[in-house]
Amino acid sequence: MHQCEVRHKKRTADEQKKLVTRLKRIEGQVRGIQKMVEDDLYCPDILVQVSAVTSALNSFNKELLACHIRDCVATDIRQGKDESIDELVTVLQKLMK
């Protein structure tokens, strides 16, 4: 059984640390936006920060997707499990909305 069986993936400690660090940074940015709203700050300033969070989430998605393709999808294709390709296509369609 490889790391992606049963819709779970065992990540290395380094992979997990990098992803969690990114998410914590994004969480802090969102809290900052919330405070800006509570403090009635200027809308364009808030919008710029929202754009930064969107960019950070997109970067997180790119990193996670690359890991998924390199590990889970590549392993499944080597094992003849073509359904992973269909799943990947579906995920990409959702990400590109």
Side-chain angles (χ1 to χ4, degrees):
M1 177 165 61
H2 67 85
Q3 297 182 53
C4 301
E5 291 291 326
V6 201
R7 299 187 68 81
H8 283 81
K9 185 200 184 299
K10 182 67 179 154
R11 291 174 181 82
T12 66
D14 187 52
E15 283 178 318
Q16 190 176 56
K17 182 180 179 186
K18 285 179 183 177
L19 292 171
V20 169
T21 298
R22 279 179 180 245
L23 288 172
K24 286 181 179 182
R25 191 174 308 123
I26 292 166
E27 181 183 26
Q29 288 177 294
V30 171
R31 279 195 307 272
I33 293 168
Q34 178 181 346
K35 178 142 178 45
M36 292 175 79
V37 171
E38 291 168 350
D39 292 346
D40 294 323
L41 295 184
Y42 192 52
C43 294
D45 294 338
I46 296 170
L47 290 167
V48 167
Q49 291 307 309
V50 170
S51 178
V53 169
T54 301
S55 177
L57 283 169
N58 285 337
S59 292
F60 176 85
N61 277 348
K62 288 177 201 173
E63 182 66 29
L64 191 60
L65 181 61
C67 289
H68 179 63
I69 291 169
R70 283 189 207 108
D71 186 8
C72 300
V73 175
T75 299
D76 283 352
I77 289 170
R78 286 186 203 106
Q79 294 176 354
K81 297 178 183 176
D82 289 341
E83 60 270 12
S84 285
I85 296 169
D86 295 332
E87 180 186 55
L88 178 60
V89 169
T90 299
V91 168
L92 289 171
Q93 288 170 340
K94 289 179 182 178
L95 290 174
M96 293 181 176
K97 281 187 175 180

XYZ file of all heavy atoms in Angstrom:
775
model
N 0.850 -1.180 0.000
C 0.000 0.000 0.000
C 0.895 1.242 0.000
O 1.777 1.373 0.844
C -0.894 -0.013 1.235
C -1.752 1.223 1.356
S -3.119 1.135 2.531
C -2.333 0.845 4.056
N 0.657 2.144 -0.956
C 1.479 3.355 -0.969
C 0.815 4.436 -0.116
O -0.238 4.245 0.463
C 1.783 3.820 -2.400
C 0.595 4.296 -3.183
N 0.146 5.566 -3.083
C -0.223 3.676 -4.057
C -0.904 5.724 -3.882
N -1.138 4.589 -4.468
N 1.451 5.582 -0.036
C 1.065 6.623 0.904
C -0.299 7.253 0.645
O -0.811 7.956 1.496
C 2.109 7.734 0.880
C 3.472 7.287 1.317
C 4.423 8.450 1.317
O 4.153 9.469 1.921
N 5.532 8.307 0.623
N -0.890 7.050 -0.506
C -2.120 7.756 -0.855
C -3.355 6.858 -0.785
O -4.417 7.246 -1.235
C -2.002 8.357 -2.254
S -0.624 9.491 -2.386
N -3.224 5.663 -0.283
C -4.353 4.748 -0.200
C -5.422 5.313 0.721
O -5.144 6.044 1.662
C -3.899 3.385 0.329
C -3.029 2.624 -0.633
C -3.757 2.121 -1.869
O -4.936 1.772 -1.786
O -3.113 2.092 -2.927
N -6.643 4.951 0.471
C -7.799 5.265 1.306
C -7.936 6.770 1.572
O -8.259 7.186 2.670
C -7.771 4.476 2.640
C -9.153 4.392 3.243
C -7.215 3.075 2.465
N -7.634 7.568 0.576
C -7.799 9.016 0.606
C -7.085 9.679 1.793
O -7.560 10.645 2.367
C -9.267 9.379 0.541
C -9.909 8.880 -0.751
C -11.315 9.346 -0.937
N -11.426 10.772 -1.155
C -11.225 11.407 -2.305
N -10.869 10.751 -3.376
N -11.395 12.701 -2.400
N -5.958 9.124 2.172
C -5.066 9.725 3.154
C -3.671 9.739 2.548
O -3.360 8.916 1.697
C -5.024 8.898 4.449
C -6.227 9.086 5.305
N -7.404 8.426 5.075
C -6.434 9.867 6.383
C -8.286 8.779 5.982
N -7.736 9.649 6.788
N -2.865 10.659 3.005
C -1.498 10.688 2.522
C -0.580 10.956 3.689
O -0.725 11.941 4.400
C -1.297 11.765 1.477
C 0.128 11.652 0.921
C 0.610 12.864 0.260
C 1.957 12.730 -0.373
N 3.049 12.415 0.525
N 0.347 10.082 3.881
C 1.361 10.276 4.915
C 2.457 11.151 4.332
O 3.160 10.777 3.402
C 1.924 8.917 5.345
C 2.931 9.022 6.447
C 2.303 9.481 7.730
C 3.346 9.545 8.844
N 2.995 10.493 9.856
N 2.572 12.365 4.866
C 3.584 13.294 4.394
C 4.833 13.167 5.249
O 4.763 12.792 6.415
C 3.051 14.722 4.481
C 1.954 14.987 3.491
C 1.303 16.353 3.657
N 0.253 16.471 2.668
C -0.964 15.964 2.832
N -1.282 15.339 3.924
N -1.868 16.095 1.879
N 5.958 13.532 4.671
C 7.178 13.570 5.471
C 7.042 14.700 6.488
O 6.226 15.623 6.314
C 8.421 13.828 4.593
O 8.334 15.156 4.048
C 8.548 12.793 3.485
N 7.850 14.658 7.522
C 7.822 15.710 8.539
C 8.123 17.068 7.915
O 7.499 18.082 8.258
C 8.815 15.388 9.655
N 9.060 17.087 6.958
C 9.424 18.338 6.291
C 8.268 18.879 5.444
O 7.968 20.071 5.489
C 10.664 18.129 5.423
C 11.191 19.429 4.853
O 11.397 20.374 5.648
O 11.394 19.503 3.628
N 7.624 17.990 4.667
C 6.468 18.414 3.855
C 5.380 18.991 4.742
O 4.834 20.063 4.461
C 5.865 17.220 3.105
C 6.589 16.752 1.890
C 5.912 15.525 1.284
O 5.494 14.606 2.014
O 5.807 15.509 0.050
N 5.061 18.269 5.805
C 3.996 18.712 6.691
C 4.337 20.046 7.341
O 3.504 20.955 7.395
C 3.740 17.654 7.762
C 2.491 17.942 8.580
C 2.201 16.853 9.561
O 3.051 16.523 10.390
N 1.015 16.282 9.473
N 5.577 20.202 7.788
C 5.992 21.451 8.426
C 5.857 22.633 7.470
O 5.347 23.690 7.845
C 7.437 21.328 8.922
C 7.919 22.571 9.647
C 9.348 22.435 10.125
C 9.767 23.730 10.812
N 11.164 23.717 11.180
N 6.309 22.456 6.230
C 6.226 23.543 5.246
C 4.775 23.934 4.965
O 4.445 25.117 4.906
C 6.905 23.134 3.942
C 8.413 23.139 4.010
C 9.024 22.700 2.694
C 10.532 22.628 2.779
N 11.133 22.135 1.534
N 3.902 22.930 4.783
C 2.497 23.219 4.491
C 1.810 23.889 5.673
O 1.084 24.872 5.507
C 1.767 21.931 4.090
C 2.178 21.320 2.751
C 1.544 19.943 2.579
C 1.812 22.232 1.588
N 2.051 23.373 6.876
C 1.422 23.948 8.068
C 1.925 25.372 8.303
O 1.148 26.265 8.656
C 1.645 23.040 9.298
C 1.246 23.741 10.588
C 0.858 21.736 9.141
N 3.216 25.604 8.079
C 3.769 26.954 8.240
C 3.083 27.930 7.293
O 2.716 29.047 7.685
C 5.297 26.944 8.000
O 5.896 26.098 8.979
C 5.888 28.339 8.083
N 2.896 27.513 6.056
C 2.194 28.375 5.082
C 0.779 28.676 5.548
O 0.314 29.816 5.480
C 2.118 27.703 3.712
C 3.363 27.820 2.884
C 3.157 27.081 1.560
N 4.329 27.170 0.742
C 4.362 27.803 -0.430
N 3.294 28.362 -0.918
N 5.477 27.846 -1.123
N 0.081 27.639 6.021
C -1.302 27.829 6.461
C -1.387 28.738 7.686
O -2.300 29.571 7.775
C -1.957 26.476 6.759
C -2.267 25.632 5.534
C -2.737 24.241 5.951
C -3.316 26.307 4.650
N -0.449 28.616 8.596
C -0.442 29.492 9.769
C -0.196 30.941 9.368
O -0.787 31.868 9.930
C 0.598 29.023 10.783
C 0.163 27.775 11.519
C 1.193 27.344 12.540
C 0.693 26.100 13.280
N 1.640 25.680 14.325
N 0.681 31.132 8.378
C 0.939 32.481 7.883
C -0.338 33.062 7.265
O -0.700 34.221 7.512
C 2.076 32.456 6.861
C 2.581 33.833 6.492
C 3.808 33.782 5.589
N 4.884 32.942 6.116
C 5.415 31.905 5.468
N 4.982 31.570 4.268
N 6.383 31.209 6.007
N -1.037 32.250 6.481
C -2.287 32.692 5.854
C -3.326 32.999 6.932
O -4.048 34.002 6.851
C -2.798 31.626 4.858
C -1.848 31.535 3.654
C -4.221 31.931 4.409
C -2.050 30.306 2.780
N -3.399 32.132 7.934
C -4.338 32.350 9.040
C -4.069 33.694 9.713
O -5.002 34.454 10.015
C -4.201 31.216 10.053
C -5.142 31.323 11.232
C -4.923 30.208 12.244
O -3.799 29.657 12.323
O -5.884 29.887 12.965
N -2.798 34.014 9.911
C -2.444 35.299 10.499
C -2.855 36.466 9.612
O -3.335 37.497 10.106
N -2.699 36.292 8.306
C -3.116 37.344 7.367
C -4.631 37.546 7.443
O -5.107 38.685 7.429
C -2.723 36.976 5.938
C -1.247 37.066 5.654
C -0.932 36.604 4.244
O -1.095 35.429 3.914
N -0.479 37.534 3.417
N -5.388 36.468 7.534
C -6.852 36.579 7.606
C -7.266 37.274 8.908
O -8.154 38.128 8.907
C -7.523 35.196 7.458
C -9.013 35.274 7.749
C -7.284 34.635 6.057
N -6.606 36.925 10.004
C -6.906 37.608 11.274
C -6.605 39.102 11.159
O -7.322 39.942 11.690
C -6.122 36.979 12.424
C -6.751 35.713 12.966
C -6.169 35.316 14.327
N -4.727 35.214 14.336
C -4.036 34.128 14.026
N -4.658 33.030 13.687
N -2.715 34.140 14.064
N -5.520 39.425 10.438
C -5.190 40.835 10.222
C -6.273 41.557 9.433
O -6.625 42.701 9.736
N -6.830 40.887 8.444
C -7.924 41.473 7.657
C -9.142 41.682 8.543
O -9.804 42.731 8.471
C -8.262 40.587 6.436
C -7.100 40.586 5.443
C -9.550 41.063 5.764
C -7.214 39.534 4.359
N -9.439 40.707 9.377
C -10.577 40.836 10.285
C -10.409 42.067 11.183
O -11.339 42.843 11.374
C -10.718 39.586 11.138
C -11.859 39.656 12.139
C -11.964 38.409 12.991
O -11.368 37.378 12.697
N -12.724 38.507 14.064
N -9.200 42.252 11.682
C -8.930 43.413 12.543
C -9.078 44.709 11.753
O -9.604 45.702 12.271
C -7.529 43.313 13.146
C -7.174 44.500 14.012
C -6.385 44.114 15.206
C -5.968 45.295 16.070
N -6.965 46.284 16.359
N -8.636 44.696 10.507
C -8.789 45.890 9.667
C -10.261 46.252 9.512
O -10.623 47.431 9.579
C -8.161 45.651 8.289
C -6.652 45.535 8.302
S -5.972 45.117 6.674
C -6.016 46.736 5.878
N -11.100 45.247 9.319
C -12.541 45.496 9.184
C -13.104 46.018 10.504
O -13.862 46.997 10.531
C -13.283 44.210 8.731
C -14.796 44.388 8.810
C -12.862 43.820 7.316
N -12.719 45.365 11.610
C -13.202 45.806 12.930
C -12.765 47.229 13.243
O -13.477 47.981 13.902
C -12.691 44.848 14.018
C -13.308 43.474 13.950
C -12.624 42.437 14.822
O -11.526 42.717 15.372
O -13.180 41.340 14.939
N -11.596 47.615 12.744
C -11.064 48.962 12.982
C -11.526 49.972 11.939
O -11.057 51.119 11.929
C -9.536 48.926 13.012
C -8.985 48.174 14.210
O -9.750 47.908 15.167
O -7.785 47.835 14.194
N -12.449 49.546 11.064
C -13.013 50.437 10.038
C -11.950 51.056 9.133
O -12.027 52.229 8.760
C -13.859 51.550 10.676
C -15.100 51.015 11.351
O -15.702 50.052 10.826
O -15.483 51.558 12.413
N -10.950 50.275 8.762
C -9.914 50.803 7.878
C -10.448 50.950 6.452
O -11.486 50.406 6.086
C -8.673 49.917 7.920
C -7.954 49.886 9.279
C -6.688 49.056 9.187
C -7.621 51.296 9.764
N -9.703 51.661 5.666
C -10.067 52.034 4.296
C -10.198 50.790 3.415
O -9.321 49.916 3.407
C -8.974 52.972 3.772
C -9.281 53.704 2.502
C -10.449 54.447 2.356
C -8.378 53.684 1.450
C -10.699 55.140 1.181
C -8.611 54.373 0.279
C -9.790 55.101 0.153
O -10.039 55.788 -1.013
N -11.319 50.718 2.683
C -11.633 49.536 1.865
C -10.505 49.116 0.920
O -10.170 47.928 0.866
C -12.919 49.759 1.076
S -14.382 49.889 2.119
N -9.907 50.025 0.154
C -8.830 49.601 -0.749
C -7.658 48.947 -0.013
O -7.049 48.001 -0.517
C -8.403 50.892 -1.449
C -9.647 51.722 -1.454
C -10.285 51.428 -0.115
N -7.355 49.405 1.202
C -6.286 48.790 1.974
C -6.643 47.350 2.347
O -5.804 46.443 2.288
C -5.993 49.593 3.240
C -5.430 50.980 2.934
O -4.886 51.175 1.819
O -5.533 51.864 3.808
N -7.896 47.138 2.704
C -8.367 45.787 3.036
C -8.327 44.905 1.791
O -7.877 43.759 1.839
C -9.784 45.834 3.645
C -9.768 46.601 4.977
C -10.333 44.423 3.841
C -11.151 46.907 5.530
N -8.774 45.445 0.672
C -8.789 44.673 -0.574
C -7.393 44.222 -0.983
O -7.210 43.102 -1.473
C -9.445 45.490 -1.690
C -10.957 45.706 -1.531
C -11.448 46.770 -2.487
C -11.688 44.403 -1.731
N -6.401 45.071 -0.770
C -5.018 44.699 -1.087
C -4.597 43.514 -0.224
O -3.952 42.573 -0.711
C -4.071 45.909 -0.901
C -2.616 45.477 -0.922
C -4.332 46.951 -1.986
N -4.978 43.522 1.043
C -4.628 42.412 1.933
C -5.377 41.132 1.562
O -4.817 40.033 1.633
C -4.903 42.790 3.396
C -3.971 43.861 3.922
C -2.513 43.509 3.712
O -2.063 42.426 4.064
N -1.753 44.424 3.109
N -6.620 41.269 1.148
C -7.382 40.106 0.688
C -6.714 39.513 -0.553
O -6.597 38.293 -0.689
C -8.856 40.476 0.397
C -9.585 39.331 -0.301
C -9.574 40.851 1.693
N -6.242 40.361 -1.434
C -5.534 39.896 -2.623
C -4.274 39.135 -2.240
O -3.933 38.113 -2.850
C -5.195 41.087 -3.518
O -4.470 40.667 -4.640
N -3.570 39.601 -1.215
C -2.360 38.915 -0.752
C -2.698 37.529 -0.209
O -1.969 36.562 -0.453
C -1.652 39.751 0.316
N -3.807 37.406 0.509
C -4.241 36.102 1.034
C -4.620 35.179 -0.117
O -4.264 33.992 -0.117
C -5.411 36.266 2.031
C -6.031 34.923 2.363
C -4.931 36.950 3.294
N -5.312 35.708 -1.093
C -5.682 34.903 -2.263
C -4.437 34.369 -2.952
O -4.371 33.189 -3.313
C -6.531 35.744 -3.241
O -7.714 36.191 -2.566
C -6.926 34.950 -4.464
N -3.440 35.219 -3.106
C -2.181 34.807 -3.728
C -1.489 33.735 -2.884
O -0.961 32.752 -3.419
C -1.273 36.024 -3.897
O -0.042 35.644 -4.438
N -1.499 33.906 -1.578
C -0.867 32.925 -0.688
C -1.584 31.578 -0.766
O -0.945 30.520 -0.777
C -0.860 33.449 0.751
N -2.903 31.597 -0.825
C -3.669 30.350 -0.964
C -3.383 29.681 -2.306
O -3.259 28.455 -2.383
C -5.168 30.612 -0.802
C -5.648 30.804 0.633
C -7.082 31.328 0.656
C -5.533 29.507 1.416
N -3.271 30.480 -3.353
C -2.936 29.920 -4.667
C -1.555 29.261 -4.642
O -1.360 28.184 -5.212
C -3.006 30.992 -5.748
C -4.430 31.348 -6.122
O -5.356 30.561 -5.929
N -4.626 32.542 -6.642
N -0.607 29.890 -3.984
C 0.734 29.308 -3.867
C 0.692 28.008 -3.074
O 1.365 27.034 -3.419
C 1.687 30.287 -3.186
O 1.922 31.385 -4.027
N -0.098 27.984 -2.010
C -0.264 26.763 -1.225
C -0.847 25.655 -2.104
O -0.359 24.522 -2.097
C -1.192 27.031 -0.029
C -1.499 25.809 0.779
C -0.649 25.387 1.783
C -2.643 25.067 0.528
C -0.934 24.247 2.521
C -2.935 23.927 1.259
C -2.077 23.517 2.260
N -1.886 25.985 -2.875
C -2.501 25.002 -3.772
C -1.491 24.455 -4.783
O -1.460 23.254 -5.049
C -3.683 25.614 -4.520
C -4.949 25.599 -3.709
O -5.039 24.946 -2.673
N -5.953 26.327 -4.170
N -0.671 25.327 -5.340
C 0.326 24.888 -6.327
C 1.297 23.900 -5.712
O 1.637 22.886 -6.319
C 1.083 26.088 -6.897
C 0.272 26.943 -7.837
C 1.098 28.143 -8.272
C 0.219 29.260 -8.759
N 0.992 30.481 -9.026
N 1.761 24.196 -4.512
C 2.718 23.318 -3.827
C 2.079 21.972 -3.505
O 2.667 20.919 -3.752
C 3.209 23.988 -2.538
C 4.239 23.183 -1.788
C 5.553 23.034 -2.516
O 5.915 23.927 -3.308
O 6.223 22.007 -2.296
N 0.872 21.997 -2.970
C 0.181 20.758 -2.614
C -0.142 19.937 -3.857
O 0.030 18.714 -3.869
C -1.090 21.078 -1.828
C -1.805 19.915 -1.163
C -0.903 19.216 -0.161
C -3.066 20.414 -0.484
N -0.568 20.603 -4.911
C -0.882 19.909 -6.164
C 0.371 19.266 -6.758
O 0.330 18.121 -7.216
C -1.508 20.888 -7.165
C -1.920 20.310 -8.508
C -2.975 19.221 -8.336
C -2.445 21.430 -9.407
N 1.484 19.973 -6.726
C 2.736 19.416 -7.248
C 3.140 18.167 -6.475
O 3.529 17.155 -7.071
C 3.849 20.473 -7.182
N 3.015 18.213 -5.164
C 3.327 17.031 -4.337
C 2.398 15.877 -4.690
O 2.839 14.729 -4.801
C 3.190 17.364 -2.851
S 4.467 18.451 -2.210
N 1.126 16.177 -4.868
C 0.142 15.140 -5.192
C 0.461 14.485 -6.541
O 0.437 13.259 -6.665
C -1.263 15.746 -5.211
C -2.331 14.778 -5.565
N -2.623 13.681 -4.782
C -3.184 14.724 -6.620
C -3.608 12.995 -5.354
N -3.963 13.605 -6.462
N 0.795 15.301 -7.523
C 1.102 14.759 -8.855
C 2.380 13.927 -8.798
O 2.416 12.812 -9.332
C 1.232 15.894 -9.892
C -0.147 16.526 -10.131
C 1.816 15.363 -11.202
C -0.100 17.816 -10.926
N 3.416 14.450 -8.154
C 4.692 13.733 -8.096
C 4.591 12.403 -7.361
O 5.286 11.454 -7.702
C 5.751 14.594 -7.403
C 6.310 15.667 -8.278
C 7.511 16.334 -7.581
N 7.632 17.681 -8.063
C 7.345 18.777 -7.370
N 6.940 18.687 -6.119
N 7.472 19.968 -7.895
N 3.752 12.342 -6.341
C 3.695 11.134 -5.516
C 2.479 10.283 -5.872
O 2.598 9.265 -6.542
C 3.677 11.521 -4.039
C 3.768 10.320 -3.109
O 3.989 9.189 -3.589
O 3.621 10.500 -1.893
N 1.318 10.701 -5.473
C 0.113 9.875 -5.601
C -0.245 9.558 -7.055
O -0.446 8.400 -7.413
C -1.066 10.561 -4.920
S -0.813 10.846 -3.156
N -0.330 10.595 -7.877
C -0.753 10.387 -9.264
C 0.287 9.566 -10.022
O -0.063 8.601 -10.718
C -1.032 11.734 -9.976
C -1.362 11.518 -11.439
C -2.181 12.468 -9.278
N 1.553 9.913 -9.877
C 2.609 9.171 -10.581
C 2.618 7.705 -10.160
O 2.724 6.808 -11.005
C 3.964 9.815 -10.318
N 2.478 7.439 -8.869
C 2.451 6.054 -8.372
C 1.264 5.303 -8.951
O 1.404 4.160 -9.419
C 2.396 6.042 -6.830
O 3.563 6.689 -6.322
C 2.325 4.619 -6.300
N 0.095 5.929 -8.930
C -1.105 5.271 -9.463
C -0.971 4.973 -10.953
O -1.354 3.902 -11.416
C -2.356 6.123 -9.205
C -2.840 6.034 -7.762
O -2.297 5.204 -6.997
O -3.762 6.784 -7.406
N -0.426 5.903 -11.716
C -0.255 5.688 -13.154
C 0.695 4.524 -13.398
O 0.421 3.661 -14.242
C 0.242 6.979 -13.848
C -0.885 8.017 -13.880
C 0.723 6.673 -15.272
C -0.441 9.389 -14.319
N 1.789 4.485 -12.644
C 2.727 3.364 -12.784
C 2.061 2.026 -12.473
O 2.426 0.999 -13.027
C 3.933 3.564 -11.864
C 4.893 4.613 -12.354
C 6.152 4.673 -11.472
N 6.765 5.968 -11.603
C 6.735 6.952 -10.690
N 6.141 6.762 -9.536
N 7.308 8.102 -10.919
N 1.073 2.056 -11.581
C 0.371 0.830 -11.198
C -0.853 0.567 -12.076
O -1.627 -0.342 -11.808
C -0.053 0.905 -9.728
C 1.107 0.922 -8.769
C 0.677 1.096 -7.321
O -0.493 1.314 -7.018
N 1.636 0.994 -6.413
N -1.039 1.392 -13.114
C -2.150 1.197 -14.039
C -3.491 1.701 -13.539
O -4.534 1.363 -14.084
N -3.482 2.522 -12.512
C -4.731 3.067 -11.950
C -5.042 4.405 -12.623
O -4.782 5.479 -12.078
C -4.610 3.234 -10.437
C -4.401 1.934 -9.695
C -4.242 2.195 -8.210
C -3.948 0.926 -7.442
N -3.707 1.202 -6.020
N -5.632 4.334 -13.791
C -5.898 5.541 -14.576
C -6.980 6.431 -13.971
O -7.120 7.587 -14.369
C -6.293 5.159 -16.003
C -5.108 4.608 -16.785
O -3.957 4.849 -16.376
O -5.340 3.935 -17.810
N -7.739 5.930 -12.997
C -8.776 6.762 -12.383
C -8.171 7.977 -11.674
O -8.846 8.991 -11.486
C -9.654 5.954 -11.418
C -8.918 5.313 -10.253
C -8.397 3.904 -10.546
O -8.392 3.463 -11.703
O -7.971 3.254 -9.584
N -6.902 7.888 -11.315
C -6.231 9.043 -10.714
C -6.138 10.208 -11.690
O -6.162 11.367 -11.278
C -4.830 8.675 -10.243
O -4.892 7.928 -9.069
N -6.034 9.906 -12.971
C -5.987 10.964 -13.983
C -7.329 11.694 -14.020
O -7.374 12.930 -14.037
C -5.624 10.393 -15.367
C -4.213 9.800 -15.322
C -5.737 11.468 -16.447
C -3.847 8.982 -16.534
N -8.417 10.928 -13.997
C -9.745 11.545 -13.994
C -9.945 12.410 -12.749
O -10.489 13.509 -12.819
C -10.836 10.472 -14.057
C -10.818 9.698 -15.367
O -10.375 10.264 -16.388
O -11.249 8.529 -15.370
N -9.486 11.905 -11.606
C -9.603 12.671 -10.364
C -8.795 13.964 -10.460
O -9.268 15.036 -10.067
C -9.116 11.840 -9.179
C -9.206 12.590 -7.856
C -8.586 11.817 -6.714
O -7.390 11.434 -6.823
O -9.292 11.598 -5.721
N -7.586 13.875 -11.018
C -6.739 15.050 -11.178
C -7.398 16.078 -12.092
O -7.402 17.278 -11.797
C -5.368 14.655 -11.724
C -4.386 15.791 -11.989
C -4.088 16.568 -10.714
C -3.106 15.245 -12.600
N -7.976 15.618 -13.186
C -8.675 16.529 -14.107
C -9.812 17.245 -13.380
O -9.985 18.448 -13.517
C -9.170 15.764 -15.356
C -10.114 16.621 -16.172
C -7.995 15.308 -16.201
N -10.580 16.505 -12.589
C -11.694 17.091 -11.846
C -11.191 18.148 -10.858
O -11.760 19.250 -10.756
C -12.476 15.993 -11.089
O -12.986 15.070 -12.048
C -13.617 16.576 -10.276
N -10.110 17.833 -10.148
C -9.537 18.787 -9.198
C -9.058 20.040 -9.932
O -9.320 21.166 -9.486
C -8.380 18.146 -8.402
C -7.590 19.183 -7.635
C -8.916 17.086 -7.451
N -8.369 19.866 -11.047
C -7.879 21.025 -11.802
C -9.034 21.891 -12.294
O -8.943 23.123 -12.266
C -7.016 20.559 -12.979
C -5.655 19.988 -12.608
C -4.978 19.372 -13.820
C -4.785 21.043 -11.974
N -10.127 21.263 -12.730
C -11.282 22.031 -13.172
C -11.857 22.867 -12.030
O -12.236 24.027 -12.223
C -12.350 21.098 -13.754
C -11.969 20.521 -15.093
C -12.900 19.421 -15.572
O -13.629 18.809 -14.796
N -12.878 19.162 -16.867
N -11.888 22.300 -10.835
C -12.385 23.047 -9.672
C -11.453 24.187 -9.292
O -11.901 25.275 -8.925
C -12.577 22.104 -8.493
C -13.743 21.162 -8.654
C -13.883 20.220 -7.487
C -15.041 19.269 -7.714
N -15.196 18.290 -6.610
N -10.150 23.942 -9.393
C -9.181 24.973 -9.047
C -9.169 26.132 -10.031
O -8.819 27.263 -9.686
C -7.771 24.377 -8.962
C -7.492 23.446 -7.790
C -6.104 22.838 -7.928
C -7.626 24.185 -6.465
N -9.559 25.856 -11.286
C -9.487 26.885 -12.320
C -10.795 27.643 -12.506
O -10.927 28.363 -13.491
C -9.052 26.245 -13.633
C -7.650 25.735 -13.594
S -7.210 25.029 -15.181
C -5.523 24.628 -14.927
N -11.702 27.519 -11.598
C -12.976 28.260 -11.718
C -12.749 29.729 -11.554
O -11.878 30.197 -10.914
C -13.968 27.779 -10.657
C -14.630 26.500 -11.035
C -15.694 26.185 -10.027
C -16.455 24.954 -10.445
N -17.504 24.592 -9.526
